[in-house]
Amino acid sequence: MCAYLHVARSAYYHWLNRPISPQEVFNQQLANKIREIHEAHEEMGYRRIRDELARCYGLVVNDKRVLRLCRELQIQSTIKHQGNSITTRALRPFHTASNRLNRNFHAEKPNEKWLTDVTEFKYKVHQVVHKVYLSLGRFSSSIIRTCLS
């Protein structure tokens, strides 16, 4: 393999028997502390682990370093956000309504079929965010518009 990679055999053995650098020793110690924190608090992600290292052990390290070590140790927080969103369809929604109309929106008589759609609008007045909901209800052949704030 050394001949294929154009590396001298002596250089390979020198690399193989090299002493462990102080940075690698510190990373191993840090990895042990990260493993301890994760075993005690599995819900913590790398940012909270970094905060815990600073708070309890007095070790101020970069969050990217903690993230890299967590990935090497295959440590991941157990808390995950739900896959539901307002603007995009969820992969596994909690509830899916049955499709009773099958896109047949025409009604033979009034009040036979009722449909609605609610849209949320956000606007700011100074620094305060307000929400307005617009509901377009449709039944039979007429349209009802309501605005709630």
Side-chain angles (χ1 to χ4, degrees):
M1 184 160 32
C2 289
Y4 182 75
L5 295 174
H6 303 291
V7 174
R9 197 178 338 170
S10 61
Y12 167 72
Y13 283 111
H14 180 71
W15 172 83
L16 190 63
N17 298 321
R18 76 190 187 286
I20 298 175
S21 71
Q23 187 172 1
E24 288 183 40
V25 171
F26 180 70
N27 281 342
Q28 290 173 355
Q29 294 170 350
L30 195 61
N32 291 334
K33 289 183 180 19
I34 288 172
R35 194 176 292 115
E36 288 175 20
I37 293 171
H38 179 70
E39 288 172 0
H41 308 282
E42 290 184 0
E43 73 279 357
M44 284 189 179
Y46 74 94
R47 290 184 186 101
R48 288 182 59 197
I49 289 174
R50 184 224 28 226
D51 294 342
E52 192 75 10
L53 286 169
R55 186 179 310 114
C56 296
Y57 296 98
L59 298 170
V60 180
V61 291
N62 192 324
D63 58 345
K64 293 175 190 172
R65 183 182 218 173
V66 175
L67 175 62
R68 179 178 48 81
L69 291 173
C70 284
R71 285 181 178 166
E72 288 175 6
L73 298 171
Q74 296 179 346
I75 290 177
Q76 197 172 8
S77 66
T78 56
I79 296 176
K80 294 292 177 196
H81 297 288
Q82 295 295 329
N84 292 333
S85 176
I86 294 172
T87 58
T88 60
R89 189 174 292 231
L91 295 176
R92 285 175 264 121
F94 288 119
H95 175 73
T96 303
S98 60
N99 187 6
R100 294 183 183 175
L101 292 179
N102 199 22
R103 300 197 58 82
N104 181 14
F105 302 116
H106 180 72
E108 299 297 326
K109 57 185 178 181
N111 294 333
E112 185 178 352
K113 297 177 183 177
W114 285 68
L115 308 169
T116 187
D117 180 32
V118 178
T119 305
E120 176 187 85
F121 295 99
K122 293 181 184 179
Y123 66 95
K124 279 188 176 183
V125 175
H126 303 293
Q127 295 298 323
V128 181
V129 177
H130 296 281
K131 292 182 181 179
V132 176
Y133 298 93
L134 174 67
S135 176
L136 291 173
R138 181 173 183 173
F139 62 97
S140 300
S141 59
S142 61
I143 295 177
I144 297 176
R145 288 189 175 104
T146 58
C147 184
L148 307 171
S149 60

